[in-house]
Amino acid sequence: MNGMAAGKTTGLKQQRPVIIAGPCSAESPEQLMETAGALKEGGKVDYFRAGLWKPRTLPGSFEGVGSEGLKWLKMVKEETGMKVATEVGSEKHVFEALKYDIDLLWIGARTVSNPFVVQEIAESLRGVDIPVLVKNPLNPDLELWYGAINRFMKAGIREVGAIHRGFSTWGKSIYRNSPIWEIPRALKERMPGLLIICDPSHIAGKRSLVPLIAGRSIDEGLDGLMIEVHPAPEHALSDAAQQLRPQAFSGLMNDLDIKSPSEIKDEKSMIDELSSEIDMIDDLLVRTIASRMELTRQIEKIGDSRYRMTQKPILKQKTFARLYGLAMEDGLRPDFINRLFDEIEKESLHIETSSHRVIVK
Ligand code: PEP
Ligand code: MN
């Protein structure tokens, strides 16, 4: 649906979603072939991915098998017929990858943060017809992302796309890299024809969250997915917590409920409408509770008459019986009504005792 630029033929799939899958890192020819075999069988994958040169946060971590893995990717391509993709982070990586007929290159988040390196890579690709996908930089900086994409376009790359892989944040988050959906949305607004896919693996950081983010990104209208898949993720040499087993990946592909843009729009507007009604009711609830408390204050002003003291327990009993009846009629659990009015009672009591205190003063 979203090719790079209208009117140009592209190697990237025209139909949503574009699916890229494979291990975070190539570890051995056997691991690559086993993963590729399983992915090929599922029939949903457009590009098989594997990282060869791994930009690791900490020194001493597994830094990839390097150029050696290019032969393995070539073997995957020859034996399965799948197209293959890898990350490049320097001019040298580009030359090596091109020697081995890699079909798609992506630029990692750490590299995108450095315009010198991005420019160097873009220059090294001048005159080469290969799709390049640019991940978002680590920090939530739309300009930097846009700038990197532009450097590739200006170098004459015909098919440039983007990958939303989330953004680093300081402090606790359930995500490894927070998805800030406004940023790919703004990028799409600025470059309407641009293919933007999502990498839920690096956003989630853990397997269990990958399907949710994948589904959400499709509902956001993004054009595809890059997902990390490993035959034995717990033994993976990088990103062990976030890679899916081939079986889980194929389950995800089957469960991905791909909606049309108009269905998504309808869903969004219904949710927005209902949420604003809930907001109105919540406002009303607070105002109503405040009015109720005001009545408590007025009764309190009358003081502890004998009538009030004798009526109070009877009234309370009657009130609860009435409220339970209402709750049952409207499908609310009596236990919930009990807890709710217990809290309201507590607050009323607080008002009563604090106004006593004022009187004592
Ligand atoms: C990767 O795709 O394995 C990777 C290193 O990703 P990122 O650049 O998004 O961290
Ligand atoms: Mn990874």
Side-chain angles (χ1 to χ4, degrees), residues 259-275:
K259 300 184 174 108
S260 69
S262 74
E263 276 176 307
I264 295 164
K265 214 169 139 209
D266 285 355
E267 225 176 65
K268 271 188 186 158
S269 73
M270 259 162 68
I271 290 175
D272 286 351
E273 209 173 292
L274 293 172
S275 304

Side-chain angles (χ1 to χ4, degrees), residues 23-25 49 54 135 176 202 228 238-239 242-243:
C24 175
S25 299
R49 66 150 278 161
K54 302 301 296 178
K135 288 206 176 189
R176 179 176 175 198
H202 288 87
E228 289 187 338
S238 60
D239 290 349
Q242 72 194 27
Q243 304 203 58

